[in-house]
């Protein structure tokens, strides 16, 4: 039945694999039936994640590997909050005519960003790794070729997706990667 529904060769994201591993019925409902819960009016987890990812990507790209750790966590927090405001203006129509719930949720995201940015700064300052790239696409036309896993039925699973942040560290001619 699975081969009829999904085909012999599957291309899935790490999130989809994790979903299947946690609950095959949930995977079937989401990826097979395409059944999704009714959307809510507030900023949902996916939108929160999109905002946080966009802010962190812009922050890392702006301050990059060598200079990111040269700034105080207060400076980086302020920059992250400013980038969140810029995201709201550019992608969500700004703050004008928004509800107090919307503003509260954006402020909650900013508080989360404070914690994340402070953690990232500490992590990078205590490590030889340097942040070098964000949002690397992992597919046959992206930045990284997907890994193919052979199946016992002769098919394959290709893992595709996006690497949030790539850090590198070089020592004795060997480059180490951390994702």
């Amino acid at each position: 039945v699975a081969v009829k529904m999904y085909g012999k060769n599957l291309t899935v994201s790490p999130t989809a694999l994790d979903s299947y591993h946690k609950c095959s019925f949930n995977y079937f409902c989401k990826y097979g039936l395409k059944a999704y819960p009714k959307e809510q009016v507030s900023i949902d987890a996916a939108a929160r994640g999109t905002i946080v990812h966009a802010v962190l990507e812009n922050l890392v790209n702006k301050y990059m590997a060598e200079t990111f750790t040269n700034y105080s966590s207060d400076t980086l927090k302020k920059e992250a909050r400013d980038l969140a405001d810029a995201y709201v203006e550019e992608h969500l129509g700004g703050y004008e005519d928004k509800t107090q719930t919307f503003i509260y949720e954006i402020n909650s995201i900013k508080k989360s960003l404070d914690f994340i940015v402070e953690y990232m700064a500490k992590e990078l300052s205590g490590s030889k790794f340097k942040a070098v790239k964000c949002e690397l696409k992992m597919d046959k036309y992206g930045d990284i070729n997907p890994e193919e896993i052979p199946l016992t039925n002769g098919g394959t699973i290709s893992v595709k997706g996006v690497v949030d942040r790539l850090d590198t560290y070089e020592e004795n001619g060997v480059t180490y990667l951390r994702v």
Side-chain angles (χ1 to χ4, degrees):
V1 173
V3 172
K4 286 182 182 177
M5 186 166 214
Y6 302 107
K8 187 175 180 181
N9 297 314
L10 299 174
T11 299
V12 297
S13 68
T15 304
L17 282 175
D18 188 47
S19 175
Y20 180 81
H21 178 71
K22 287 180 182 174
C23 177
S24 58
F25 181 72
N26 181 36
Y27 178 90
F28 169 72
C29 289
K30 186 173 183 179
Y31 297 98
L33 298 177
K34 308 272 189 233
Y36 295 96
K38 190 175 181 182
E39 286 189 39
Q40 296 180 4
V41 178
S42 65
I43 300 173
D44 65 6
R48 289 176 68 89
T50 299
I51 295 167
V52 169
H53 275 247
V55 168
L56 294 177
E57 178 182 4
N58 287 323
L59 189 69
V60 169
N61 286 339
K62 180 173 182 176
Y63 291 99
M64 242 345 142
E66 291 79 29
T67 60
F68 192 86
T69 58
N70 294 338
Y71 292 89
S72 71
S73 70
D74 286 340
T75 299
L76 294 171
K77 287 178 189 178
K78 181 184 180 325
E79 183 69 26
R81 287 172 168 264
D82 290 347
L83 287 167
D85 286 334
Y87 185 92
V88 169
E89 291 296 327
E90 186 176 333
H91 299 282
L92 303 176
Y95 287 99
E96 192 173 321
D97 299 325
K98 295 294 192 282
T99 66
Q100 288 300 311
T101 301
F102 176 86
I103 293 167
Y104 173 83
E105 289 175 344
I106 293 297
N107 286 332
S108 172
I109 291 168
K110 289 178 184 180
K111 287 179 185 176
S112 295
L113 282 165
D114 285 347
F115 173 79
I116 294 166
V117 166
E118 186 167 3
Y119 180 83
M120 275 178 54
K122 286 180 183 176
E123 173 194 16
L124 289 171
S125 68
S127 169
K128 293 181 180 180
F129 281 91
K130 304 290 183 199
V132 294
K133 187 135 180 166
C134 290
E135 302 299 313
L136 286 155
K137 289 183 176 46
M138 186 170 58
D139 64 33
K140 62 181 173 179
Y141 303 109
D143 303 302
I144 303 169
N145 287 327
E147 193 66 33
E148 289 202 356
I149 303 165
L151 300 173
T152 57
N153 70 355
T156 61
I157 294 179
S158 296
V159 180
K160 68 174 188 168
V162 178
V163 174
D164 295 328
R165 189 181 91 208
L166 175 65
D167 301 342
T168 63
Y169 161 59
E170 291 189 37
E171 183 174 42
N172 299 326
V174 177
T175 301
Y176 299 91
L177 304 176
R178 177 174 67 181
V179 294

